[in-house]
Amino acid sequence: MERVQKLLEFSELAPRVKSHLSQVYGTLAIGLLTATVTCMYTPAILVQNAIFMIFSIIATIGLLVTMHSKKGNREHGTKFICFLAITAIDGASLKPLVQQAAQIDPVIVVNALMYTCIIFASFSLVSLTTRRRGFLFLGGMLSSIMLGMFFGSIFSWIFGISFLSYFAYNVIMLVVFSLYVIYDTQLIVEKASLGDFDHTLHALELFIDLVR
């Protein structure tokens, strides 16, 4: 028990880095709450049309550009508002999928939420309890896989030939984004160690890993 307690103290992390991580996960929690509210209460008819799709894409790109243009330890209020807007749009976009799953069996939604939280928490702990930079090598590998999946999707769309089944595609994406949680968490720790305390952008990185 003492060994586990000592492990969870994250003694290798500097106090300022621990404080930054608290801000990151606090911001992430608020973003997830915002996404949950918009997913639950946005009318399905509002999001099931091309106009909303076009609006959400343009708005998300604009918000992302705004956040990255203010990158660094400044204007956290503006970036936080942009972050909440992105999470709200993302939550609303998930409404049709969640509604369809709930109509089949409400347990599907509960299980998906529970498993997502367990996977995210587990991989975050793995990242935080291993030595610094231990998993940063994953960045290049995961980017290569994502690039390959992108071009594979384009090829399938053009020629109508798919090299992967729908199930295999989803399994690969689940593994990739689970590993991204480890990679991004260690990258955030490393950035904070070098003086980058942009908790809003760091929370956005984890939010993308979590909802994708």
Side-chain angles (χ1 to χ4, degrees):
M1 191 69 180
E2 291 181 5
R3 192 174 181 180
V4 174
Q5 187 177 2
K6 186 177 180 181
L7 190 66
L8 294 178
E9 287 177 355
F10 310 120
S11 55
E12 293 185 1
L13 301 178
R16 184 65 183 89
V17 175
K18 291 181 183 179
S19 175
H20 174 67
L21 288 174
S22 297
Q23 286 183 301
V24 170
Y25 286 111
T27 304
L28 176 63
I30 295 172
L32 290 173
L33 179 62
T34 303
T36 301
V37 170
T38 55
C39 183
M40 290 176 61
Y41 296 108
T42 301
I45 193 171
L46 182 65
V47 299
Q48 290 177 325
N49 59 74
I51 296 176
F52 177 82
M53 185 186 304
I54 295 171
F55 166 78
S56 62
I57 292 173
I58 295 174
T60 300
I61 292 174
L63 291 166
L64 287 172
V65 170
T66 301
M67 288 185 71
H68 281 87
S69 68
K70 303 179 184 301
K71 189 175 182 180
N73 304 322
R74 60 193 179 95
E75 298 190 53
H76 293 297
T78 302
K79 287 183 289 188
F80 182 66
I81 293 172
C82 291
F83 172 71
L84 291 183
I86 291 172
T87 58
I89 292 171
D90 219 34
S93 300
L94 290 172
K95 175 74 174 189
L97 179 63
V98 173
Q99 189 176 51
Q100 185 177 6
Q103 288 175 349
I104 297 172
D105 188 349
V107 177
I108 295 175
V109 179
V110 177
N111 286 342
L113 179 62
M114 182 178 65
Y115 292 146
T116 300
C117 291
I118 291 173
I119 291 172
F120 181 79
S122 300
F123 280 87
S124 294
L125 284 174
V126 167
S127 179
L128 292 172
T129 53
T130 53
R131 64 183 181 86
R132 281 178 58 183
R133 305 186 184 92
F135 288 103
L136 292 183
F137 71 92
L138 289 173
M141 181 181 71
L142 295 175
S143 297
S144 298
I145 294 174
M146 290 296 293
L147 191 63
M149 298 292 284
F150 172 75
F151 284 114
S153 299
I154 296 295
F155 183 86
S156 300
W157 179 67
I158 294 175
F159 298 102
I161 302 173
S162 179
F163 297 102
L164 291 172
S165 65
Y166 181 75
F167 177 77
Y169 175 84
N170 282 300
V171 169
I172 292 173
M173 296 305 290
L174 174 63
V175 172
V176 167
F177 279 103
S178 295
L179 293 176
Y180 258 122
V181 172
I182 296 178
Y183 169 74
D184 282 335
T185 303
Q186 284 209 338
L187 190 61
I188 288 169
V189 170
E190 196 60 31
K191 287 178 180 178
S193 300
L194 297 173
D196 181 1
F197 300 111
D198 194 341
H199 61 273
T200 313
L201 271 177
H202 294 169
L204 177 64
E205 293 171 5
L206 294 179
F207 177 80
I208 293 172
D209 294 338
L210 187 58
V211 300
R212 292 293 180 267

